[in-house]
Amino acid sequence: MWKWLHPYAKTERAYQLCNTLKPWFWLGALGCLSIGTVWGLLFAPADYQQGDSFRIIYIHVPAAILSMGTYVAMAVAALVGIVWQWRTAFMSMIAMAPVGALMTFIALFTGAAWGKPMWGAWWVWDARLTSELILLFLYFGVMALYAAFDDKQQAGKAAGVMALVGVVNVPIIHYSVEWWNTLHQGATISKFDNPSIAAEMLWPLLINLLGFALFIGAVTGVRLQNEIIRRERHRPWVQQLAAQNLDDKGEKHHAV
Amino acid sequence: MVLPADMVECWPIFYSQRAEPKLSGLIGNNLTSHKQDRCLFQHLHIRLRAGELVHLKGPNGAGKSSLMRILVGLSSPEEGNVSYDGVDISEPAVANNIVFIGHKSGLNGLLSAEENLTYWSAQHQLDVSNAEIYEALAALNLVGMEEVPIKNLSAGQQRRVALARLWLKPATYWLLDEPFTSLDAEGITLMETAFAEHVSKQGAILMTSHQALSERVGRVRVEHLDYRL
Amino acid sequence: MRVLLKGILQRDLTLAFRQKSELMQPLMFLLVVVTLFPLGIGPGPDTLQRIGPGVIWVAAILSSLLGMERLFRDDFADGSLEQMQLSGIPLYQIALCKIITHWFVSFMPLLMLSPLLALFLNLTLPMYTALLLTLLLGTPVISLIGAIAVGLTTGLQRGSLLLALLLIPIFIPLLIFATSAVESAAMQLPYGPQIAIIAAIMLLALALSPFAVSYALKVSQN
């Protein structure tokens, strides 16, 4: 039902949609992240067991949740692209990939940093950290596959297939690793499983989660716009846009 | 029949409403294709009727091969559709009526000419006996080469083996991408005679070639595809 | 059916047996890698028994990656795949046929070699039985999922390292369940659940992979 949409209009419309949404995303991300982080780091009560070191969850947990979420979003975009042959879907998929990989990296880094005071080691083969590590590899795979093709249209489709294969695997990997972990190390390490969390600790976490999500949206928007411009640089509307931009800059120079 | 320009734009609808007999021949309708984000062609219409030879010309990189691959269904166009005698290319049955020989020979170097063609006929669901394969190879002056692994044949001989498929499969549509590559003068004469015969039997040929066809072939319609930025 | 048997299966088997050396190389690699572990870690029978199943599985995955490209590489390069696609046979059936041949020519020899590996690494008979079961059910998953990645990378000139990068993370669950089945067998615990999970993964891959491969090949042909 989407196929009748003219492909040129689609990229152009996607570009404009990004333009409209971007300021709101940046604003929301900045607001949520500063409120959530300040609240979480300075005002939320300390944990009775872990003291202040637990505060890293305000970074770690949103990053971890959204690293998985971004991967699923990529797979959804890939599916849309494959089913409806929508060029912009593949573009947005590949725009998301490095952002998701960054989130995964943040989750891994903060997890390791949290591990040092908690377990006395920078790296412990904890189930969740291991799944995150494998997720990072999956991101690398998709990005490497995309980079390997010269024809970016082909690249998008290929990377999309890989993202779908990966997303089928993510739950299998997650549960297999969790199961492997209980098998090998028993239940001694379960610090991540906080059974319940106090409301005054939870609120800043949720706000930060929203902030991270908006941040991912904003960065993806910028990357999608870049991708569209790079891919469509021969199209008239992009050249018009470039000419307009040059004109604007010229005017500013005159004003100065 | 001449259609008004705006009718051509939407003629599939036009025809289905009129419930006319389906258009015969190979029809590429409104085809658009990009390679590496460069537009090769846009809203291209092409038609190939039975009993016709179309010579597709154009400079390197104009998209001739891409067009051929779209017309046989190896790649899909971004827009538009391809049909053979009114049946869409996505129908598996269409394949029975087409032979495509592209840049790549489609021959495995470790198998002999005879083996390659036997397996090819099996894949294409043709009931071809060994004798018929030998006959086809003989028609292309490859007597004595039937059992030699393809990798030990010269480029011209390999091309002849690839072209032997035209003798094995009774298809109306021949789509040949540079069939004369590495053929000698004798081979080209052979092929041109075969083309003329196929066309006279109401076959249809669409081919690309950088060299002109001789008079032996008979009437040729030339189509140009331009290089665009 | 006859078409597939003669046109694809028989052809691929003929071709495989004309390139015996290419079939043997991954197998020799497997043997050499397995030999490295006792040398690197020490020949203590208990240690070997503990790491044995893991080593065999890791080596099997790595060695299978070496020969994986063969699935579609030659047929893509010489244009045979084009001709197959134009034959009117649905592409997913062609893909499935090729996957079956690939499994048969690259993993059957591995299964035959496995008793020797089990001896090298001091596995007991119950452990070996479990290992054989996991290999029997797990290696088809390698062929099935590997074919998707090969289909995607076959048009690229240097795809083999990329292939490893794409596939190894996907094979992790397989490794986990397989080695844990063998460990359970070592402790004389039932290992039915692990085998069942591997079988389930195999069936899932069997159901989805041919279609993914056919899409992947179409992308590569574009």
Side-chain angles (χ1 to χ4, degrees):
Chain A
M1 66 189 277
W2 295 102
K3 232 182 155 176
W4 55 271
L5 271 171
H6 204 281
Y8 300 60
K10 278 191 301 199
T11 43
E12 195 176 350
R13 268 175 54 159
Y15 185 87
Q16 280 155 1
L17 184 72
C18 287
N19 255 353
T20 345
L21 291 180
K22 237 173 24 183
W24 299 103
F25 273 41
W26 280 123
L27 215 67
L30 199 72
C32 286
L33 281 178
S34 40
I35 294 173
T37 309
V38 170
W39 186 354
L41 293 190
L42 298 182
F43 299 107
D47 186 75
Y48 77 98
Q49 262 185 334
Q50 306 181 28
D52 278 334
S53 66
F54 98 98
R55 290 184 198 276
I56 204 161
I57 66 163
Y58 294 115
I59 309 294
H60 176 80
V61 171
I65 291 175
L66 289 170
S67 64
M68 299 261 177
T70 309
Y71 200 86
V72 174
M74 268 170 64
V76 171
L79 192 69
V80 168
I82 287 169
V83 173
W84 287 301
Q85 305 188 10
W86 216 7
R87 270 154 52 92
T88 39
F90 291 119
M91 291 182 187
S92 42
M93 180 202 76
I94 211 62
M96 272 183 256
V99 193
L102 178 72
M103 286 299 135
T104 319
F105 179 76
I106 292 175
L108 279 172
F109 185 81
T110 50
W114 193 5
K116 185 64 186 162
M118 287 298 106
W119 306 320
W122 286 104
W123 183 261
V124 170
W125 288 96
D126 165 73
R128 288 178 197 198
L129 282 181
T130 313
S131 315
E132 282 288 318
L133 186 65
I134 298 169
L135 185 67
L136 188 64
F137 294 155
L138 289 178
Y139 273 116
F140 284 163
V142 171
M143 279 158 26
L145 188 60
Y146 185 80
F149 282 88
D150 284 331
D151 185 342
K152 288 305 173 198
Q153 219 170 314
Q154 226 182 344
K157 286 181 188 168
V161 173
M162 221 48 230
L164 282 175
V165 172
V167 90
V168 173
N169 252 277
V170 161
I172 303 179
I173 290 172
H174 185 78
Y175 287 108
S176 70
V177 167
E178 211 151 84
W179 187 67
W180 159 82
N181 192 249
T182 50
L183 215 79
H184 284 265
Q185 303 195 330
T188 48
I189 299 159
S190 53
K191 290 256 163 64
F192 279 119
D193 299 311
N194 285 331
S196 62
I197 183 166
E200 54 269 41
M201 289 180 179
L202 186 64
W203 274 113
L205 187 64
L206 291 180
I207 292 172
N208 251 10
L209 185 64
L210 185 65
F212 266 78
L214 289 171
F215 175 75
I216 292 174
V219 178
T220 305
V222 175
R223 286 185 42 84
L224 178 58
Q225 281 186 320
N226 287 347
E227 183 76 17
I228 289 175
I229 295 282
R230 187 161 48 231
R231 298 270 299 272
E232 311 269 279
R233 61 183 177 278
H234 299 304
R235 303 268 192 286
W237 72 269
V238 176
Q239 278 161 2
Q240 227 170 26
L241 200 75
Q244 235 169 39
N245 262 8
L246 276 179
D247 280 354
D248 286 354
K249 268 188 198 150
E251 268 167 37
K252 266 181 212 157
H253 271 291
H254 276 294
V256 171
Chain B
M1 186 205 299
V2 182
L3 294 169
D6 55 331
M7 287 281 190
V8 173
E9 279 299 305
C10 57
W11 61 260
I13 304 163
F14 173 63
Y15 270 93
S16 64
Q17 280 170 348
R18 292 272 300 274
E20 275 205 7
K22 299 227 168 112
L23 278 176
S24 68
L26 155 59
I27 291 169
N29 172 39
N30 198 23
L31 300 173
T32 300
S33 175
H34 291 88
K35 201 104 228 196
Q36 315 235 342
D37 293 311
R38 180 172 72 88
C39 181
L40 293 175
F41 41 82
Q42 209 176 343
H43 310 306
L44 180 128
H45 295 264
I46 189 164
R47 182 165 179 194
L48 174 69
R49 296 177 186 81
E52 190 178 40
L53 191 153
V54 174
H55 184 180
L56 191 62
K57 282 186 176 170
N60 292 337
K64 299 187 296 293
S65 296
S66 300
L67 178 60
M68 291 286 245
R69 293 173 68 83
I70 286 174
L71 290 176
V72 294
L74 277 175
S75 46
S76 42
E78 256 146 77
E79 268 184 273
N81 49 51
V82 176
S83 63
Y84 284 79
D85 297 326
V87 184
D88 194 79
I89 184 77
S90 56
E91 299 287 327
V94 173
N96 297 332
N97 215 7
I98 309 171
V99 180
F100 168 71
I101 295 166
H103 281 279
K104 300 179 188 168
S105 65
L107 303 168
N108 191 294
L110 295 171
L111 299 173
S112 70
E114 184 261 321
E115 285 170 314
N116 262 309
L117 293 176
T118 308
Y119 293 131
W120 182 83
S121 315
Q123 287 158 12
H124 287 246
Q125 295 148 67
L126 305 170
D127 210 9
V128 174
S129 68
N130 242 14
E132 281 170 289
I133 288 175
Y134 274 74
E135 232 168 81
L137 290 171
L140 284 153
N141 286 344
L142 286 168
V143 178
M145 302 290 176
E146 296 93 345
E147 310 282 329
V148 181
I150 287 290
K151 63 177 177 198
N152 297 343
L153 297 183
S154 76
Q157 286 169 326
Q158 290 185 10
R159 173 66 37 179
R160 283 175 192 227
V161 178
L163 288 166
R165 295 187 181 111
L166 298 173
W167 272 255
L168 296 175
K169 187 170 174 178
T172 309
Y173 298 100
W174 292 3
L175 288 96
L176 311 171
D177 200 353
E178 296 288 345
F180 299 150
T181 313
S182 56
L183 280 188
D184 54 11
E186 184 233 353
I188 292 176
T189 312
L190 240 156
M191 286 319 298
E192 284 181 341
T193 318
F195 291 168
E197 201 191 322
H198 184 64
V199 170
S200 74
K201 285 192 286 189
Q202 287 303 298
I205 303 174
L206 176 65
M207 59 176 289
T208 65
S209 174
H210 285 293
Q211 64 192 93
L213 295 168
S214 73
E215 281 135 39
R216 211 174 291 114
V217 186
R219 229 170 65 83
V220 174
R221 180 155 67 91
V222 176
E223 293 278 347
H224 283 277
L225 199 60
D226 293 323
Y227 186 91
R228 31 197 301 173
L229 283 171
Chain C
M1 196 61 206
R2 205 188 61 82
V3 177
L4 286 173
L5 284 181
K6 172 129 204 242
I8 316 272
L9 269 182
Q10 195 193 332
R11 172 180 180 276
D12 284 2
L13 286 176
T14 314
L15 274 174
F17 289 113
R18 292 212 181 151
Q19 302 166 282
K20 286 195 201 71
S21 65
E22 221 175 314
L23 281 184
M24 289 305 293
Q25 281 160 8
L27 221 56
M28 287 189 254
F29 174 79
L30 173 73
L31 205 59
V32 174
V33 168
V34 169
T35 314
L36 282 183
F37 279 87
L39 296 175
I41 292 173
D46 291 340
T47 325
L48 288 184
Q49 203 172 63
R50 253 187 63 73
I51 62 160
V55 167
I56 292 177
W57 258 95
V58 169
I61 289 175
L62 291 182
S63 75
S64 73
L65 286 173
L66 287 183
M68 193 74 90
E69 263 189 309
R70 281 192 45 254
L71 250 168
F72 299 118
R73 184 196 54 202
D74 293 347
D75 288 340
F76 182 86
D78 67 21
S80 304
L81 198 63
E82 273 172 23
Q83 293 294 339
M84 286 178 205
Q85 276 176 264
L86 295 175
S87 66
I89 311 172
L91 191 49
Y92 74 91
Q93 291 180 9
I94 297 173
L96 188 61
C97 258
K98 288 195 156 287
I99 292 167
I100 291 171
T101 338
H102 174 262
W103 181 81
F104 186 75
V105 297
S106 46
F107 288 117
M108 276 308 268
L110 191 150
L111 288 180
M112 285 189 258
L113 197 67
S114 62
L116 184 64
L117 302 179
L119 279 182
F120 274 9
L121 295 171
N122 196 29
L123 300 191
T124 60
L125 188 63
M127 284 173 83
Y128 175 65
T129 321
L131 179 74
L132 196 62
L133 266 176
T134 59
L135 284 173
L136 206 57
L137 290 168
T139 47
V141 180
I142 298 184
S143 289
L144 285 162
I145 298 185
I148 302 176
V150 177
L152 290 173
T153 55
T154 192
L156 302 170
Q157 263 76 45
R158 349 161 262 293
S160 56
L161 205 61
L162 184 61
L163 210 57
L165 186 61
L166 291 177
L167 286 174
I168 291 175
I170 308 246
F171 292 149
I172 287 173
L174 206 57
L175 179 72
I176 290 175
F177 290 119
T179 48
S180 110
V182 183
E183 268 169 32
S184 297
M187 292 184 276
Q188 294 184 350
L189 294 170
Y191 52 84
Q194 289 95 317
I195 298 289
I197 290 172
I198 294 176
I201 294 176
M202 198 261 276
L203 290 176
L204 182 72
L206 185 64
L208 298 180
S209 152
F211 299 99
V213 176
S214 96
Y215 183 80
L217 288 174
K218 279 184 191 147
V219 170
S220 285
Q221 288 287 10
N222 237 332

